[in-house]
Amino acid sequence: MSTAPALDPEHTALLVLDFQPAILAALPEGGDCEALLGRVEGAVAGIRAKGGTIAHVRLGFTEADWDAIPAVNKSFAPLAQHRVMHHEDSAAAIDERLAPRDGDIVVRKIRYGAMSTTDLDQQLRERNITTLVVSGVSTGGAVLSTVIDAADRDYQLYVLSDGVADPDAEVHNVLLQRVLPSRAHIIDTAELRTLLGGS
């Protein structure tokens, strides 16, 4: 049984981070991307069915965004240099299985964290969201940055252990087992259904 507190869907949002073709393509071929998408699709459906909020976050750049990235930024300067992940490219689109619907929040970011370069925090607070369930790619990038930031903003946090993935299995495991539990409840999609009052 989970020791995590039950969720109040009215005040809960599921964050769907960086489920974009170019980012999913970085996952190891042995890891089942389709299964990952299926689990997150199920979590999205479960939260929606209970009246919760879905917040889609995707990485994408304009020409001006690329030009503003300094050379000292180890992660993002190469993307700017090679003009990768233009916000209108199909590689930067949200995977069609998780496509946003009316009423969902959708934001475009230009760094790892979901909140640092977006108005996501403001949109969540306007909807009285106090609890975040985090899914996304990758565990060591978007998920880690978002959880640390959201914890500092005093959200109650849950990370879906089977709804996150990383190109590096060791990094993924260390984060889920040693780092993220200090800031979030680590649950899987089955536990999510239980905490939402499902079976």
Side-chain angles (χ1 to χ4, degrees):
M1 285 295 293
S2 175
T3 57
L7 290 160
D8 176 358
E10 184 182 345
H11 299 290
T12 298
L14 172 62
L15 301 189
V16 183
L17 308 176
D18 296 8
F19 282 96
Q20 301 162 260
I23 295 172
L24 289 165
L27 295 176
E29 289 185 25
D32 195 335
C33 195
E34 285 302 309
L36 171 67
L37 285 165
R39 289 189 296 269
V40 175
E41 188 178 23
V44 167
I47 294 271
R48 275 202 182 112
K50 295 290 184 176
T53 297
I54 308 300
H56 303 268
V57 183
R58 72 184 186 103
L59 183 70
F61 301 93
T62 63
E63 292 283 342
D65 294 331
W66 281 325
D67 291 341
I69 297 173
V72 296
N73 188 314
K74 281 186 75 171
S75 296
F76 290 93
L79 298 183
Q81 180 184 353
H82 298 289
R83 297 309 209 226
V84 196
M85 295 295 290
H86 188 275
H87 72 103
E88 292 177 340
D89 287 351
S90 59
I94 295 168
D95 187 278
E96 58 188 19
R97 289 180 62 173
L98 305 174
R101 294 187 186 173
D102 289 345
D104 290 356
I105 294 172
V106 182
V107 297
R108 179 180 65 84
K109 66 187 174 93
I110 54 174
R111 294 295 187 273
Y112 282 119
M115 297 180 183
S116 65
T117 59
T118 72
D119 66 348
L120 178 60
D121 183 49
Q122 178 185 337
Q123 290 197 56
L124 292 168
R125 303 214 183 260
E126 286 170 355
R127 297 187 188 208
N128 295 313
I129 300 296
T130 56
T131 299
L132 303 179
V133 179
V134 182
S135 66
V137 184
S138 64
T139 319
V143 173
L144 176 63
S145 292
T146 299
V147 167
I148 289 173
D149 190 1
D152 283 352
R153 296 172 194 250
D154 298 326
Y155 285 95
Q156 178 167 262
L157 290 163
Y158 298 75
V159 172
L160 289 179
S161 60
D162 58 350
V164 297
D166 193 273
D168 186 322
E170 186 177 353
V171 166
H172 173 79
N173 291 332
V174 167
L175 289 171
L176 281 180
Q177 294 165 18
R178 305 290 297 277
V179 179
L180 294 172
S182 67
R183 294 173 173 89
H185 300 282
I186 310 299
I187 62 172
D188 61 20
T189 48
E191 288 174 279
L192 175 64
R193 287 190 291 276
T194 302
L195 294 173
L196 284 168
S199 53

